[in-house]
Amino acid sequence: MESLRLIDEWPVDNAATAVVSADGTVPGRHGDTARKFRLASVTKPLTAYAALIAVEEGVVELDTPAGPAGSTVRHLLAHTSGLAFDAHKAMAEPGTRRLYSNAGFEQLADALAEHSGIPFAQYQTEALFGPLGMTSTTLEGSPASGAVSTVDDLVAFAAELQSPKLLDPATVAEATNVVFPGLSGVLPGFGHQKPNDWGLGFEIRDHKSPHWTGANSSPRTFGHFGQSGTFLWVDPDAGAACVALTDRAFGPWAAEVWPRFTDAVLADLGA
């Protein structure tokens, strides 16, 4: 895929990328896809997936109370618990605003550890990383932003998102469609969005503008980007996913080159 070579023009020291088709094949890779990068908030989909596995295993339910008073596992996953961005304090009533919250994912992991009796990082490794063969992926800090991984490992995760083996496909469909629709909020790096649609741990593209995916990305596109200069998106209409990891913090450079890159990838795929 010639489009993947565009990462060579990005103003970063190191970058790697891959595209994963819905059938799990990889039509293109570029860069050192075995290199480890800090994921920053691309950690959140990994944490969310482990939480959904816990739901299916009966460790918790989506409506299990977790986080601030009145909040549930579902609220924490959907950034509607009311918790502040980085502070463990409530700023709104659960379900009333889309407040993007690292603290919410930390409290989610705490709840899972409490109910399972297993430290969250251990549970995630045993339930998610191990079964998918993600041997280079570790949680080295906050479950909101502390994972380290490779493009090769995230290829396995992107394949799982498109053809689930660890979860019922209906669970993944619920997680990647809008939860608590109609809520407004700020998409970090891209300003106030009305609505600011999210699923359960996954941001939903919908019709947001500006956005980090492409102008030609379908509204059903879901995924996440990270402040360490990383992203993962799945476009169900294109039948493909894309992972890109870099070692330069997100900034105006990324907001400029990522959408153009995504549109080139989609064009390459004939989407």
Side-chain angles (χ1 to χ4, degrees):
M1 293 185 66
E2 196 63 29
S3 56
L4 300 188
R5 296 185 177 278
L6 287 173
I7 68 170
D8 295 337
E9 301 172 10
W10 292 0
V12 302
D13 291 331
N14 295 281
T17 186
V19 171
V20 191
S21 296
D23 62 4
T25 59
V26 181
R29 303 178 197 247
H30 190 63
D32 183 356
T33 57
R35 181 187 180 93
K36 292 183 180 182
F37 292 89
R38 293 186 306 107
L39 298 187
S41 284
V42 176
T43 301
K44 290 184 176 74
L46 299 174
T47 294
Y49 216 80
L52 294 171
I53 292 172
V55 169
E56 288 202 354
E57 290 184 342
V59 174
V60 292
E61 298 177 357
L62 286 174
D63 292 325
T64 296
S71 173
T72 65
V73 169
R74 191 191 316 270
H75 287 110
L76 293 171
L77 282 165
H79 295 287
T80 58
S81 71
L83 284 171
F85 172 59
D86 259 333
H88 291 262
K89 63 178 182 179
M91 305 293 289
E93 289 295 314
T96 62
R97 291 170 61 191
R98 191 84 64 185
L99 294 176
Y100 182 81
S101 177
N102 288 332
F105 268 67
E106 291 165 358
Q107 293 201 17
L108 171 66
D110 288 345
L112 294 172
E114 178 184 348
H115 284 274
S116 69
I118 303 170
F120 177 74
Q122 179 184 340
Y123 184 90
Q124 186 177 47
T125 297
E126 294 176 357
L128 178 61
F129 301 156
L132 292 185
M134 297 172 65
T135 56
S136 295
T137 305
T138 51
L139 183 61
E140 300 182 359
S142 167
S145 60
V148 172
S149 189
T150 65
V151 166
D152 289 336
D153 274 15
L154 290 179
V155 160
F157 183 58
E160 166 70 15
L161 290 172
Q162 296 178 91
S163 182
K165 305 293 191 297
L166 304 183
L167 286 175
D168 188 311
T171 300
V172 178
E174 181 179 2
T176 56
N177 280 279
V178 182
V179 179
F180 300 107
L183 296 183
S184 299
V186 173
L187 176 61
F190 292 90
H192 195 268
Q193 305 280 342
K194 187 177 181 178
N196 189 21
D197 286 340
W198 288 78
L200 298 173
F202 297 88
E203 191 217 331
I204 311 299
R205 170 72 173 88
D206 206 350
H207 300 285
K208 293 172 183 167
S209 181
H211 198 258
W212 54 275
T213 61
N216 296 321
S217 296
S218 78
R220 294 203 300 148
T221 298
F222 63 88
H224 221 291
F225 82 91
Q227 287 293 324
S228 56
T230 56
F231 70 73
L232 183 160
W233 56 251
V234 177
D235 189 334
D237 290 3
C242 183
V243 178
L245 305 181
T246 80
D247 55 4
R248 181 180 178 185
F250 172 85
W253 72 270
E256 178 183 344
V257 302
W258 285 354
R260 188 163 65 240
F261 173 79
T262 291
D263 283 336
V265 168
L266 292 171
D268 230 356
L269 291 168

